[in-house]
């Protein structure tokens, strides 16, 4: 299971980078441009994969990165 941990680190870095890009792009407006189900697919995918493989309690960084991405796109969560 050691290989899953190393993959998780890359996923966290990718999700964080994606969230940062979305923050810059969405800084201009508050209203969501899409439905919640379609927003932040990269952070959502990384979060969901981590939860399935490691359990929710071990994925707090990815969960928070996805929440921040959603907020940055104008969703109130």
């Amino acid at each position: 299971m050691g290989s899953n941990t190393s993959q998780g680190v890359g996923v966290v870095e990718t999700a964080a980078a994606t969230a940062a890009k979305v923050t810059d792009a969405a800084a201009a407006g508050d209203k969501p441009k899409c439905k919640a189900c379609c927003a932040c697919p990269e952070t959502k995918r990384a979060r969901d994969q981590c939860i399935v493989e490691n359990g929710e309690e071990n994925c707090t960084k990815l969960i928070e990165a996805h929440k921040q991405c959603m907020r940055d796109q104008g969703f109130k969560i």
Side-chain angles (χ1 to χ4, degrees):
M1 289 208 177
S3 62
N4 285 345
T5 304
S6 63
Q7 288 177 340
V9 171
V11 171
V12 171
E13 292 169 354
T14 302
T18 300
K21 290 177 187 173
V22 170
T23 301
D24 295 340
D30 288 335
K31 189 173 180 181
K33 296 181 181 181
C34 62
K35 293 182 180 181
C37 61
C38 301
C40 305
E42 296 87 4
T43 57
K44 182 178 180 181
R45 189 176 309 114
R47 177 205 64 185
D48 292 349
Q49 181 180 357
C50 182
I51 291 171
V52 167
E53 292 177 359
N54 304 310
E56 185 175 344
E57 63 278 357
N58 297 312
C59 301
T60 55
K61 288 183 181 180
L62 288 173
I63 293 168
E64 290 305 315
H66 182 62
K67 285 181 181 179
Q68 186 60 50
C69 181
M70 296 290 286
R71 287 184 197 109
D72 293 342
Q73 290 206 3
F75 293 97
K76 308 226 185 282
I77 58 168

